[in-house]
Amino acid sequence: MKKFTYFTSEFVSPGHPDKVSDQISDAILDACIKDDPSSRVACEVFCTTGLVVIGGEITTSTYIDVQEIVRNKIDEIGYRPGMGFDSNCGVLNSIHSQSPDIAMGVDIGGAGDQGIMFGGAVKETQELMPLALVLAREILVKLTKMTRSKEIRWARPDSKSQVTLAYDENGKVSHVDSIVVSVQHDEDVTNEEIRNTVIKEVVRPVLEKYNLINDDIKYYINPTGRFVIGGPHGDTGLTGRKIIVDTYGGYFRHGGGAFSGKDPSKVDRSAAYAARWVAKNIVAADLADKCEIQLSYAIGVSHPVSIKVETFGTSKVDEELLAGAVEHIFDLSPRGIEEALELRSGNFKYQDLAAFGHIGRTDIDIPWERCNRTEELKAYCKK
């Protein structure tokens, strides 16, 4: 009898209350950077029934209409009157300028805070991401598109997914064990219709794409039997509470820092993107099948305090050599990361990342997903 180990990742829709908060935080960041790329932003959002509260520190030369940004984002996500939360909610703005004690370290090119950041890549999917996270995300991307287009007329914005994979004794994906989907819905739809629609029109097309259909998959669709009250009306939302959803679904370690609402001087965000960039290039260069990068920083210091390369026994070269290659090829100072990854360019919107994930995206061009250092890495490791 075969022995399996099991691994699970989850994902949440843009209508999840924490994701509503993340997207508002990053929409405010986008508005600041658009007209003033040097803006310093640390914006947090709390949302609940009929109310959005914005707080934090922003220093910028431009004017942003916070009220308009909040209301437009809520409309875009899909909340309407009668759902307990919509764009007619109250908006309380409590933003002030960045502390000069922090600014003095950032102004000279140092990190905006201390901390540890992780990034990873693995040969489980074409985009070198953990398969469970990719499946959970694609299920909700499809569900969200069908909700917004009214192809599924009874669905509301708030939803969650969860995928459990079985791994064989060699550490390879064997099959999908179970799938959980919870979707907010109108009152007049039956559980049977929800289950049939979600499995047939949402989940199975995603599994077919990866040739993962099997008759033994366990489906848990709206397992409580009712999910009418959702979004910020059903549960309060806070910026930065979905950090595992935002990255690798728990497959790799996480330093604990959130992304949304933070400008690139905050290494919680920029260095986590850089760690993914480094790890992905190492795996794409076929120097390892699986790689995790840890970076650490001190506030006001311009280069990482430490760089660690972990390949989980899959490296084709010595890990010390890999670490030397990383230090030689990648400029991992805060300003070096900002420039290399175009973090203040306005070429992409941070709010799009907040909606469907910051790592492993294939639907938009984001610089830390580019495999543009593979040849340099190969050349260095042949020395």
Side-chain angles (χ1 to χ4, degrees), residues 79-275:
Y79 283 105
R80 302 288 182 261
M83 294 184 183
F85 182 80
D86 61 74
S87 60
N88 294 314
C89 64
V91 179
L92 177 60
N93 183 355
S94 184
I95 294 172
H96 57 88
S97 61
Q98 185 184 58
S99 162
D101 293 351
I102 296 175
M104 65 187 292
V106 178
D107 289 342
I108 60 172
D113 201 354
Q114 71 176 50
I116 57 175
M117 298 84 208
F118 289 92
V122 60
K123 290 183 178 179
E124 284 192 359
T125 62
Q126 186 175 2
E127 58 267 51
L128 304 181
M129 284 288 285
L131 179 59
L133 185 278
V134 169
L135 293 174
R137 172 160 58 199
E138 289 199 18
I139 286 168
L140 283 197
V141 168
K142 187 167 185 62
L143 177 58
T144 298
K145 287 180 178 178
M146 295 180 76
T147 299
R148 291 180 176 180
S149 68
K150 302 299 181 183
E151 289 178 79
I152 303 178
R153 303 193 64 85
W154 47 260
R156 293 181 177 183
D158 192 1
S159 56
K160 302 175 77 171
S161 65
Q162 189 169 283
V163 175
T164 299
L165 300 179
Y167 285 75
D168 63 23
E169 294 174 332
N170 297 316
K172 302 297 183 182
V173 175
S174 170
H175 59 273
V176 176
D177 178 75
S178 64
I179 291 178
V180 182
V181 179
S182 295
V183 54
Q184 185 187 11
H185 57 86
D186 292 344
E187 291 200 40
D188 57 357
V189 64
T190 65
N191 290 335
E192 183 180 7
E193 182 179 352
I194 294 171
R195 178 180 175 84
N196 290 341
T197 300
V198 169
I199 293 174
K200 180 181 178 181
E201 298 185 25
V202 179
V203 175
R204 290 185 69 89
V206 172
L207 297 182
E208 286 169 356
K209 175 182 174 182
Y210 291 89
N211 195 28
L212 288 169
I213 292 287
N214 72 75
D215 294 333
D216 297 322
I217 296 174
K218 298 182 283 289
Y219 295 100
Y220 303 93
I221 311 300
N222 280 20
T224 67
R226 179 179 170 86
F227 187 10
V228 174
I229 300 172
H233 181 46
D235 190 9
T236 56
L238 287 172
T239 299
R241 281 206 298 202
K242 286 293 174 282
I243 58 176
I244 301 303
V245 165
D246 283 339
T247 52
Y248 306 96
Y251 190 91
F252 294 110
R253 284 170 280 199
H254 198 293
F259 299 159
S260 291
K262 297 177 181 177
D263 77 81
S265 71
K266 279 72 172 176
V267 284
D268 277 344
R269 175 169 230 156
S270 58
Y273 294 166

Side-chain angles (χ1 to χ4, degrees), residues 17-147:
D18 294 330
K19 282 284 126 195
V20 173
S21 296
D22 284 343
Q23 289 166 91
I24 292 172
S25 292
D26 273 341
I28 290 171
L29 172 63
D30 284 332
C32 291
I33 287 180
K34 179 182 178 183
D35 294 327
D36 178 12
S38 63
S39 296
R40 302 276 174 79
V41 180
C43 178
E44 312 290 342
V45 172
F46 166 89
C47 58
T48 187
T49 305
L51 178 66
V52 173
V53 180
I54 301 101
E57 304 81 45
I58 295 180
T59 299
T60 184
S61 64
T62 191
Y63 168 77
I64 57 170
D65 189 334
V66 171
Q67 294 267 344
E68 182 180 34
I69 290 169
V70 170
R71 299 186 195 285
N72 286 347
K73 180 53 65 175
I74 294 170
D75 280 339
E76 176 191 313
I77 291 169
Y79 283 105
R80 302 288 182 261
M83 294 184 183
F85 182 80
D86 61 74
S87 60
N88 294 314
C89 64
V91 179
L92 177 60
N93 183 355
S94 184
I95 294 172
H96 57 88
S97 61
Q98 185 184 58
S99 162
D101 293 351
I102 296 175
M104 65 187 292
V106 178
D107 289 342
I108 60 172
D113 201 354
Q114 71 176 50
I116 57 175
M117 298 84 208
F118 289 92
V122 60
K123 290 183 178 179
E124 284 192 359
T125 62
Q126 186 175 2
E127 58 267 51
L128 304 181
M129 284 288 285
L131 179 59
L133 185 278
V134 169
L135 293 174
R137 172 160 58 199
E138 289 199 18
I139 286 168
L140 283 197
V141 168
K142 187 167 185 62
L143 177 58
T144 298
K145 287 180 178 178
M146 295 180 76
T147 299

